[in-house]
Amino acid sequence: MKNVTITMDDAAAEWVRVEAAKRGSSVSRLVGEWLAEKMRQEDAYAQAMREALSFESWGASDGPYVPREILFKR
């Protein structure tokens, strides 16, 4: 585990201290958990994007596409 120093404005520091106290945690642990969750979300998003971009067609059409007028005949 690495120790880091972060800089934030006074209002943010007070807010995170209160949030940590509500949860019975330290500021350090709470910020670490938030960052780990953000990392998991980013990784899941990147994986979903890779899967979506790797989608392959089920095959080419063997004829011309159906004209719009026929598809939406009223």
Side-chain angles (χ1 to χ4, degrees):
M1 223 178 267
K2 295 280 185 180
N3 289 324
V4 296
T5 301
I6 59 173
T7 303
M8 63 184 90
D9 62 36
D10 292 341
E14 181 61 27
W15 180 84
V16 76
R17 277 195 289 277
V18 170
E19 283 299 308
K22 285 180 188 176
R23 298 165 193 235
S25 180
S26 67
V27 169
S28 178
R29 182 172 301 268
L30 185 60
V31 171
E33 289 171 359
W34 285 342
L35 290 173
E37 178 60 26
K38 179 68 173 166
M39 184 178 67
R40 283 189 294 275
Q41 290 172 353
E42 293 287 327
D43 288 347
Y45 179 84
Q47 178 63 32
M49 181 64 78
R50 281 191 299 275
E51 289 173 9
L53 293 175
S54 69
F55 175 77
E56 294 185 19
S57 173
W58 292 330
S61 171
D62 51 339
Y65 293 110
V66 178
R68 181 179 179 90
E69 296 77 28
I70 293 174
L71 279 177
F72 299 104
K73 194 184 265 188
R74 295 183 188 207

